[in-house]
């Protein structure tokens, strides 16, 4: 069912020449009604989508797609994205689509700017960006537009009319999902919404989750709960969190808006008398370990591998099959606990 049909295959199945099939597929030259009917019957049966092998009989165009990705050796959250991109590389390599990754330091604006400069020098047809730096991404998108380069983004959304497609999740709804899970665990008490290493690059990302989380409790009129926001920053995450615990001895639950829930779980693991419900994001190894130990109750899976794959594949299919690029692709909000985590680990 996954067979890639060539003009030769179609010609053999229809009992006509390759030249006749070529004329039908590319709408050039005359074809007899009988031959046209035979070819269309075959195309309908195989649910044919024109591929680049067929097109490149007359077209030697190689499409370049570059991905600007945070270095996973610096932040392991991005490692599954590499796997998703490699899946796209394997899928589209036979069709003369060249997909490359340009890594940048997610803690360095200069590194991000330099990575975009390097990509521009490659003269790509399209780019996929993980926009961890909001302002710099907006500026980069403008430059790409001037160079007629198509831009998709994933994971973080930016406000730009020139970005073709955003792939990710509804952050507001993911916050509401986290709130509903917390409400299943607790019936009352103080809950902390914890932002770790919040900065301009990811403030919007975190704040949308917080807004969604709070809106759930407000709309449900759950007055037995009190919500507090706590911002922690490296390298003082542990010390400031311990101070917060001392000041809030009745804390019942914590919602961590990033992939760094393990930092909170690590501290709590040393406090045997503290029983606090923890909900965070992402199936990175440290989080999964604490999930298995019972210190983390739920993780919300953002499926960054799938995000990266779709960000690339929509561009490739646009070039190969003239498919329209969707404005937004929102992935499901998957809820992970100790019972189903193994099914999601790559």
């Amino acid at each position: 069912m996954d067979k890639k049909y060539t003009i030769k295959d179609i010609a053999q199945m229809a009992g006509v020449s390759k030249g006749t099939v070529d004329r039908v597929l590319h709408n050039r030259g005359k074809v007899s009604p009988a031959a046209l009917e035979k070819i269309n019957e075959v195309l309908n049966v195989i649910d044919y989508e024109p591929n680049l092998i067929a097109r490149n009989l007359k077209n030697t165009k190689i499409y370049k797609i570059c991905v600007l990705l945070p270095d996973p050796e610096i932040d392991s959250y991005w490692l599954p994205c590499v796997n998703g991109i490699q899946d796209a590389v394997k899928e589209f390599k036979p069709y003369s689509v060249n997909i490359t990754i340009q890594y940048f330091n997610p803690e360095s604006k200069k590194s991000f700017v330099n990575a975009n400069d390097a990509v521009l020098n490659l003269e790509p047809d399209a780019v996929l960006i993980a926009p961890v730096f909001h302002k710099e991404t907006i500026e980069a998108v403008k430059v790409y537009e001037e160079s007629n380069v198509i831009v998709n983004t994933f994971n973080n959304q930016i406000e730009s009319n020139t970005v073709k497609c955003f792939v990710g999740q509804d952050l507001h709804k993911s916050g509401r999902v986290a709130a509903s899970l917390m409400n299943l665990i607790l019936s009352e008490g103080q809950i902390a919404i914890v932002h770790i290493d919040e900065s301009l690059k990811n403030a919007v990302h975190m704040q949308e989750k917080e807004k969604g989380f709070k809106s759930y409790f407000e709309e449900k009129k759950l007055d037995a709960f009190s919500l507090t926001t706590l911002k922690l920053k490296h390298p003082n995450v542990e010390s400031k969190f311990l101070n917060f615990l001392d000041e809030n001895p009745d804390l019942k639950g914590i919602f961590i808006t990033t992939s760094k829930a393990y930092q909170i779980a690590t501290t709590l693991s040393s406090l045997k008398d503290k029983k606090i419900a923890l909900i965070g994001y992402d199936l990175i190894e440290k989080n999964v370990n604490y999930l298995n130990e019972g210190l983390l109750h739920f993780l919300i899976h953002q499926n960054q591998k799938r995000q990266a794959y779709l960000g690339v594949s929509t561009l490739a299919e646009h070039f190969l099959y003239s498919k329209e690029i969707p404005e937004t692709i929102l992935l499901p909000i998957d809820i992970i606990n100790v019972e189903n985590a193994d099914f999601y680990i790559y």
Side-chain angles (χ1 to χ4, degrees):
M1 292 190 63
D2 294 328
K3 176 176 173 58
K4 304 295 183 181
Y5 291 93
T6 66
I7 285 180
K8 181 179 179 181
D9 295 328
I10 297 167
Q12 289 176 343
M13 295 169 73
V16 299
S17 70
K18 290 191 295 182
T20 302
V21 175
D22 181 72
R23 288 194 293 276
V24 170
L25 293 179
H26 298 93
N27 194 26
R28 55 182 175 227
K30 294 182 178 181
V31 177
S32 71
L36 179 60
E37 183 178 354
K38 290 179 182 178
I39 293 169
N40 282 333
E41 284 179 0
V42 171
L43 296 180
N44 288 332
V45 168
I46 66 175
D47 192 21
Y48 177 77
E49 285 184 331
N51 61 55
L52 204 57
I53 289 177
R55 286 186 177 185
N56 274 0
L57 292 174
K58 299 295 182 181
N59 179 16
T60 58
K61 168 71 175 177
I62 296 177
Y63 297 98
K64 297 180 184 177
I65 300 173
C66 295
V67 183
L68 285 115
L69 187 70
D71 191 336
E73 291 189 3
I74 299 173
D75 187 345
S76 61
Y77 168 80
W78 302 100
L79 184 58
C81 298
V82 178
N83 297 330
I85 295 163
Q86 291 303 325
D87 286 347
V89 169
K90 293 176 184 176
E91 181 176 346
F92 295 106
K93 186 176 180 180
Y95 308 120
S96 298
V97 177
N98 186 342
I99 302 167
T100 59
I101 304 175
Q102 186 72 40
Y103 295 107
F104 63 89
N105 184 342
E107 302 299 329
S108 169
K109 293 180 182 179
K110 183 177 180 181
S111 175
F112 178 73
V113 171
N114 290 342
N116 279 281
D117 290 341
V119 166
L120 279 168
N121 288 334
L122 296 175
E123 299 182 347
D125 296 285
V127 296
L128 173 66
I129 304 177
V132 295
F133 299 105
H134 187 270
K135 179 182 176 182
E136 287 72 19
T137 301
I138 294 291
E139 293 173 353
V141 168
K142 291 178 182 177
V143 176
Y144 287 122
E145 182 185 21
E146 293 169 358
S147 302
N148 294 317
V149 177
I150 298 173
V151 178
N152 279 4
T153 61
F154 76 106
N155 196 253
N156 292 344
Q157 196 163 10
I158 62 169
E159 295 179 3
S160 173
N161 294 327
T162 56
V163 171
K164 269 287 186 181
C165 175
F166 165 70
V167 184
Q169 288 184 337
D170 185 319
L171 301 178
H172 190 272
K173 286 187 177 179
S174 79
R176 289 182 63 90
V177 168
S180 67
L181 292 172
M182 192 67 78
N183 192 26
L184 288 174
I185 302 170
L186 304 174
S187 58
E188 62 179 1
Q190 182 186 9
I191 300 170
I193 303 166
V194 177
H195 304 312
I196 299 177
D197 292 333
E198 181 184 63
S199 62
L200 290 176
K201 70 180 182 181
N202 53 24
V204 174
H205 197 88
M206 296 179 181
Q207 289 165 10
E208 276 302 305
K209 293 174 182 176
E210 177 178 355
K211 289 177 183 176
F213 192 86
K214 287 181 174 179
S215 72
Y216 177 89
F217 287 93
E218 291 169 359
E219 291 178 17
K220 301 292 183 181
K221 301 186 186 305
L222 299 172
D223 299 329
F225 293 94
S226 63
L227 306 183
T228 306
T229 300
L230 174 64
K231 298 180 180 181
L232 302 174
K233 195 170 183 64
H234 180 80
N236 302 312
V237 172
E238 182 177 7
S239 60
K240 289 191 174 182
F241 178 59
L242 287 171
N243 289 338
F244 179 80
L245 288 178
D246 289 339
E247 295 168 0
N248 299 271
D250 297 325
L251 186 68
K252 300 297 183 183
I254 301 174
F255 168 48
I256 304 100
T257 58
T258 70
S259 61
K260 297 181 179 180
Y262 64 88
Q263 294 189 9
I264 300 300
T266 298
T267 302
L268 290 178
S269 66
S270 63
L271 305 174
K272 303 301 182 183
D273 59 327
K274 286 288 184 183
K275 301 297 181 183
I276 297 176
L278 291 187
I279 296 174
Y281 283 85
D282 304 317
L283 293 173
I284 64 174
E285 183 177 1
K286 291 179 181 178
N287 283 345
V288 173
N289 288 341
Y290 281 119
L291 189 72
N292 290 330
E293 291 177 19
L295 283 166
L296 264 167
H297 291 74
F298 291 103
L299 290 169
I300 295 175
H301 183 35
Q302 299 185 95
N303 204 342
Q304 56 269 47
K305 176 183 178 181
R306 183 69 176 166
Q307 289 184 32
Y309 168 80
L310 289 173
V312 172
S313 65
T314 54
L315 293 168
E317 290 177 355
H318 171 71
F319 293 131
L320 297 180
Y321 311 133
S322 299
K323 284 190 175 181
E324 184 176 348
I325 300 175
E327 185 176 331
T328 305
I329 301 175
L330 294 179
L331 273 64
I333 299 169
D334 292 337
I335 300 168
I336 312 300
N337 65 11
V338 68
E339 302 299 333
N340 67 349
D342 288 346
F343 294 102
Y344 288 84
I345 296 174
Y346 310 119

